[in-house]
């Protein structure tokens, strides 16, 4: 056996390893695709204007019972929950 394999890493080796790992994480962050805030906010506004929210009838108007996924469904045992 090699006597160096049983030896604890020195403080400078530990610091080097930490810095290397941190450097690698920073490189991965740099490679991540970015979206400008103006583009992201415009996309969010567009989605909110075009996607109907059934929980906000004051904005979108009343919802028909058949189209409302949150309305009580009268099929089955009459309760709101079914256990299968």
């Amino acid at each position: 056996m090699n006597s160096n394999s049983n030896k604890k890493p020195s403080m400078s080796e530990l610091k080097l390893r930490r810095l290397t790992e941190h450097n690698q994480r920073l490189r991965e962050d740099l490679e991540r695709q970015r979206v400008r805030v103006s583009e992201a906010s415009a996309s969010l506004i567009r989605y909110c204007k075009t996607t109907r929210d059934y929980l906000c009838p004051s904005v979108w108007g009343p919802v028909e019972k058949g189209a409302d996924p949150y309305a009580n469904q009268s099929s089955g045992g009459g309760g709101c929950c079914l256990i299968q």
Side-chain angles (χ1 to χ4, degrees):
M1 266 193 178
N2 189 356
S3 63
N4 284 341
S5 64
N6 295 334
K7 189 175 166 185
K8 292 172 78 174
S10 69
M11 187 62 82
S12 60
E13 291 172 333
L14 291 173
K15 284 182 179 181
L16 177 62
R17 185 171 50 184
R18 275 185 39 220
L19 285 173
T20 305
E21 290 170 357
H22 184 64
N23 193 0
Q24 182 60 33
R25 284 192 301 270
L26 289 173
R27 288 181 189 275
E28 291 169 2
D29 284 345
L30 277 175
E31 292 172 3
R32 189 172 299 133
Q33 182 181 358
R34 307 282 186 206
V35 176
R36 291 191 169 132
V37 174
S38 58
E39 293 172 15
S41 59
S43 174
L44 182 60
I45 290 170
R46 188 171 42 256
Y47 175 81
C48 290
K49 285 183 175 182
T50 59
T51 304
R52 187 173 187 143
D53 187 353
Y54 296 105
L55 297 177
C56 296
S58 61
V59 175
W60 294 97
V63 181
E64 298 174 10
K65 276 222 176 221
D68 188 358
Y70 302 107
N72 286 338
Q73 303 297 326
S74 59
S75 63
C80 67
C81 301
L82 294 176
I83 299 176
Q84 295 181 358

